[in-house]
Amino acid sequence: MYGKDMETIKKENMNLADKIYIFDTTLRDGEQAPGVALTVDEKIQIAQSLDKLGVDKIEAGFPASSKGEIESCRKIHNLVDCTTVGLARTVFKDIDAVLDADLDYMHTFIGTSPLHRDYKLKMSKEKIIETAINAVEYGKDHGLTIEFSAEDATRTEGDFLFDVYRSVVDAGADFLNVPDTVGVLTPIVTKQLITDLKNEFTTHISVHFHNDFGLATANTLTAIECGANQAHVTVNGIGERTGNSALEEIVVALHAAYGIDLDIDTTQLYNISDSVSRITGIKKPVNKPIVGDNAFAHESGIHVHGILNNALTYEPISPELVGHSRRIIIGKHTGANALKSKLDEFNIDLNEEQFDNVFSQIKALGDKGKTITDSDLKSLAINEISSAKETPIVLKGLGLLSGAIVSSTATVKLEIYGEEKETSATGVGPVDAALNAIRSLIQDTLDVELEEYNVEAITGGTDALAEVFVISSDSEGNKSTGRSTNEDIVMASILAVLDSINKLLLLQRVNQ
Ligand code: KIV
Ligand code: ZN
């Protein structure tokens, strides 16, 4: 790094504004993401969360699009403390709709690039300027604060773009917004453009950058470095096509990389990201910065070792800063330290031999391409413990009366945590009767469901050995397997079920 540290480079090259506004457009550009349509209640829920989070402005919608949109913008405006913004084309009926929604801040836009002029608006440059001026003046006459966007600014001829901005500033625009409508900007162009705007205008400079090349956040931060004082963002970066700059990325990067603290409660970022993902149906990729499932997840032995000694070795910020949590993942790359810490987390104490067995099973599963969930790990550990430790329930006696016409009856005696209990039950066959008796004997100890029951004869003939495999679950959703082989199928079934029940009981003890 040729002798200069990062902080010196930033100080020497930045022109930061004193106040940076966060303009959230999740409810407008975010709602334009393919497949997203929000109800009024959902919009209100998101708006209230954003307000609580501390954003400065919420673009609540495009009032001219429907009566319902006017209503929802008005409702949001009445419910939140931050500024509520309504979008409008540079046409009077759109501006009237913003006024109908009782809003006092309008974001108005008109396409300025040759593509928009020739193929969409069919307007000359002069007409574009005249239309923009009329809209700004009309809005100002009606008492609105006005943010003006030159749509597709970044594909507009530089001279013309500046002419447009000059005209709307003269007409009274309060914020000049620069939309990178199809996400073609690069950081170096952003730097030049924003620096030139800052050199000419004293008006607030805002940026609205799309993510088509994955550069929205980098470009937005570059704009802020050059003096832009407002960033348009959306939760999880949702928006048209590949979306917009992500709120969580901008806020956290400003805090962590630039030491700029906005009045945003960063600890709410993870929750708001989750609820926007749930409400919109747009899933977050696991590797999404800040809020993705893997943002603070570690698997490799080397990394986990570092993390366990000092989390900053492999994390840029603490997960708590954004309301997320750290996860140690058990899998192919797991080291002994990670496994130990994970077992500690579950209060599972294994001796050396048990630990080595679990460790090698994890490696073997990993080599087969399997991922190991927390409950898989618990099951592997419990299998080890249950083969060595005391068994909570032991079969002490079994009597059967099987009837071909009438139902079968089974009398089962169990020792449950040292106390003997006996009962009889009926069923459609001896296995069913025996399992009913077991269920009734353990009902005060465990609420158990038999999820799967498979029986296989593993040798031929009438005295064939039967192997029974079962999966049971408890009311907490824990699952366990049980297996037993016996020449008597009823006995094999009972022992397999007891095997799985015992594992569930051990698991519950571990989880307490
Ligand atoms: O991306 C864009 O150009 C927009 C405008 C409405 C500002 O969203
Ligand atoms: Zn946009």
Side-chain angles (χ1 to χ4, degrees):
M1 181 100 63
Y2 60 90
K4 281 189 183 176
D5 63 26
M6 291 238 300
E7 292 315 308
T8 313
I9 295 171
K10 281 190 227 162
K11 268 196 204 107
E12 286 177 359
N13 291 282
M14 294 197 310
N15 174 27
L16 289 176
D18 291 338
K19 158 88 186 148
I20 293 158
Y21 296 93
I22 295 295
F23 179 116
D24 185 278
T25 180
T26 306
L27 298 179
R28 199 278 296 168
D29 214 316
E31 204 204 14
Q32 286 172 221
V36 177
L38 302 172
T39 65
V40 177
D41 284 348
E42 289 168 339
K43 283 193 162 199
I44 289 174
Q45 191 189 330
I46 294 174
Q48 286 182 315
S49 308
L50 287 166
D51 192 36
K52 222 170 98 213
L53 182 79
V55 302
D56 298 287
K57 303 173 192 177
I58 293 175
E59 189 165 41
F62 182 21
S65 66
S66 72
K67 281 214 159 49
E69 190 83 347
I70 294 179
E71 276 309 309
S72 76
C73 287
R74 185 185 298 124
K75 279 193 177 143
I76 289 169
H77 178 57
N78 289 332
L79 285 168
V80 299
D81 290 330
C82 64
T83 303
T84 308
V85 182
L87 182 72
R89 290 165 298 183
T90 46
V91 294
F92 294 165
K93 81 171 178 54
D94 283 24
I95 303 171
D96 289 339
V98 172
L99 295 166
D100 280 352
D102 295 337
L103 306 183
D104 36 38
Y105 192 121
M106 168 174 78
H107 171 204
T108 187
F109 71 100
I110 186 165
T112 51
S113 67
L115 284 162
H116 281 240
R117 292 194 314 259
D118 298 342
Y119 295 97
K120 191 180 85 172
L121 301 167
K122 304 199 188 315
M123 281 187 191
S124 64
K125 287 180 174 172
E126 294 68 32
K127 187 72 189 163
I128 297 278
I129 289 185
E130 184 193 323
T131 310
I133 292 173
N134 287 342
V136 173
E137 284 180 349
Y138 186 75
K140 284 303 296 176
D141 287 348
H142 288 83
L144 293 169
T145 298
I146 302 211
E147 178 160 336
F148 174 83
S149 271
E151 192 187 15
D152 208 14
T154 52
R155 292 190 299 177
T156 301
E157 305 89 329
D159 287 350
F160 179 57
L161 181 65
F162 274 63
D163 281 348
V164 175
Y165 282 140
R166 256 173 233 125
S167 314
V168 294
V169 166
D170 288 347
D174 303 283
F175 277 76
L176 293 182
N177 185 45
V178 184
D180 183 25
T181 303
V182 293
V184 293
L185 262 189
T186 57
I188 203 146
V189 181
T190 308
K191 181 176 176 187
Q192 186 71 59
L193 177 58
I194 302 301
T195 305
D196 290 348
L197 285 168
K198 284 297 296 174
N199 284 339
E200 173 156 351
F201 298 102
T202 51
T203 320
H204 301 284
I205 304 293
S206 169
V207 294
H208 174 107
F209 293 163
H210 278 274
N211 201 32
D212 297 69
F213 299 157
L215 290 171
T217 295
N219 289 333
T220 301
L221 292 174
T222 303
I224 290 172
E225 286 173 353
C226 299
N229 66 338
Q230 178 168 277
H232 281 210
V233 293
T234 59
V235 176
N236 298 336
I238 62 169
E240 287 277 4
R241 306 178 308 283
T242 55
N244 298 57
S245 291
L247 164 76
E248 59 282 359
E249 291 173 17
I250 297 296
V251 168
V252 173
L254 286 178
H255 165 83
Y258 299 77
I260 299 173
D261 279 321
L262 308 164
D263 286 332
I264 298 252
D265 179 2
T266 55
T267 62
Q268 295 180 30
L269 285 170
Y270 181 75
N271 274 349
I272 195 167
S273 150
D274 245 22
S275 70
V276 166
S277 167
R278 211 177 38 252
I279 292 170
T280 58
I282 301 184
K283 292 203 170 56
K284 289 180 273 182
V286 290
N287 63 339
K288 188 147 189 46
I290 317 296
V291 290
D293 277 359
N294 286 356
F296 301 93
H298 311 275
E299 181 181 318
S300 93
I302 296 169
H303 281 220
V304 173
H305 187 209
I307 286 283
L308 293 173
N309 290 338
N310 180 341
L312 289 177
T313 50
Y314 288 105
E315 283 174 357
I317 53 166
S318 80
E320 292 78 24
L321 177 75
V322 295
H324 206 332
S325 51
R326 180 174 304 120
R327 286 187 311 136
I328 304 296
I329 305 295
I330 298 299
K332 184 178 173 175
H333 307 105
T334 293
N337 283 306
L339 179 58
K340 174 86 187 67
S341 99
K342 199 78 185 174
L343 290 169
D344 285 350
E345 191 186 306
F346 300 145
N347 282 324
I348 298 178
D349 193 16
L350 299 181
N351 64 31
E352 209 178 310
E353 189 189 338
Q354 292 166 341
F355 184 90
D356 289 346
N357 286 344
V358 170
F359 195 54
S360 49
Q361 287 176 68
I362 286 168
K363 293 281 169 186
L365 288 167
D367 281 342
K368 285 186 196 145
K370 299 248 172 9
T371 48
I372 291 115
T373 63
D374 284 0
S375 81
D376 292 337
L377 174 61
K378 284 184 198 167
S379 290
L380 290 174
I382 293 302
N383 278 340
E384 285 300 315
I385 295 172
S386 62
S387 55
K389 267 210 169 150
E390 96 282 13
T391 320
I393 301 180
V394 183
L395 180 67
K396 286 291 180 178
L398 171 68
L400 289 172
L401 195 65
S402 39
I405 301 169
V406 287
S407 57
S408 300
T409 305
T411 303
V412 176
K413 190 196 273 186
L414 298 179
E415 187 183 282
I416 305 172
Y417 290 118
E419 192 191 332
E420 286 199 358
K421 288 187 177 175
E422 181 178 313
T423 197
S424 299
T426 55
V428 286
V431 172
D432 191 41
L435 297 187
N436 286 341
I438 291 175
R439 207 173 280 123
S440 129
L441 284 172
I442 64 159
Q443 63 187 349
D444 294 337
T445 315
L446 187 73
D447 183 6
V448 70
E449 280 294 325
L450 188 60
E451 304 240 337
E452 241 184 270
Y453 172 85
N454 289 302
V455 72
E456 267 174 38
I458 55 174
T459 58
T462 49
D463 59 349
L465 281 180
E467 183 177 34
V468 175
F469 170 78
V470 300
I471 299 179
S472 304
S473 65
D474 65 13
S475 52
E476 317 276 286
N478 294 312
K479 286 187 193 232
S480 76
T481 58
R483 193 181 288 281
S484 176
T485 308
N486 198 290
E487 61 274 14
D488 182 278
I489 188 174
V490 183
M491 193 53 111
S493 305
I494 291 171
L495 292 176
V497 167
L498 287 179
D499 183 31
S500 70
I501 289 174
N502 277 326
K503 285 177 190 162
L504 283 174
L505 288 170
L506 287 169
L507 196 59
Q508 284 198 343
R509 275 237 302 271
V510 157
N511 285 339
Q512 269 162 16

Short mmCIF file of all heavy atoms in Angstrom, two decimals, residues 28-29 208 210 244, ligand 2:
data_model
loop_
_atom_site.label_atom_id
_atom_site.label_comp_id
_atom_site.label_asym_id
_atom_site.label_seq_id
_atom_site.Cartn_x
_atom_site.Cartn_y
_atom_site.Cartn_z
N ARG A 28 -41.48 2.15 -3.15
CA ARG A 28 -41.75 2.61 -4.52
C ARG A 28 -40.89 1.82 -5.51
O ARG A 28 -41.39 0.93 -6.20
CB ARG A 28 -41.52 4.13 -4.61
CG ARG A 28 -42.19 4.77 -5.80
CD ARG A 28 -41.39 4.63 -7.08
NE ARG A 28 -40.11 5.33 -7.01
CZ ARG A 28 -39.15 5.16 -7.91
NH1 ARG A 28 -39.32 4.34 -8.94
NH2 ARG A 28 -37.99 5.80 -7.79
N ASP A 29 -39.58 2.06 -5.55
CA ASP A 29 -38.74 1.31 -6.50
C ASP A 29 -38.70 -0.17 -6.10
O ASP A 29 -38.74 -1.07 -6.94
CB ASP A 29 -37.31 1.88 -6.54
CG ASP A 29 -36.70 1.77 -7.94
OD1 ASP A 29 -36.85 0.71 -8.57
OD2 ASP A 29 -36.07 2.75 -8.40
N HIS A 208 -29.40 7.98 -7.03
CA HIS A 208 -30.35 6.85 -7.10
C HIS A 208 -29.74 5.86 -8.08
O HIS A 208 -29.90 5.99 -9.29
CB HIS A 208 -31.70 7.38 -7.59
CG HIS A 208 -32.73 6.34 -7.85
ND1 HIS A 208 -33.82 6.14 -7.03
CD2 HIS A 208 -32.86 5.43 -8.84
CE1 HIS A 208 -34.57 5.17 -7.52
NE2 HIS A 208 -34.01 4.72 -8.62
N HIS A 210 -28.85 2.11 -9.68
CA HIS A 210 -29.31 0.71 -9.85
C HIS A 210 -28.10 -0.23 -9.93
O HIS A 210 -26.96 0.19 -10.15
CB HIS A 210 -30.23 0.61 -11.07
CG HIS A 210 -31.63 1.02 -10.70
ND1 HIS A 210 -32.53 0.13 -10.16
CD2 HIS A 210 -32.26 2.22 -10.77
CE1 HIS A 210 -33.67 0.78 -9.90
NE2 HIS A 210 -33.52 2.05 -10.26
N ASN A 244 -31.61 -1.81 -6.36
CA ASN A 244 -30.98 -0.52 -6.03
C ASN A 244 -29.87 -0.72 -5.02
O ASN A 244 -29.63 -1.84 -4.58
CB ASN A 244 -32.04 0.41 -5.40
CG ASN A 244 -33.19 0.72 -6.32
OD1 ASN A 244 -33.87 -0.17 -6.81
ND2 ASN A 244 -33.43 1.99 -6.58
ZN ZN B 2 -35.04 3.49 -9.96
#
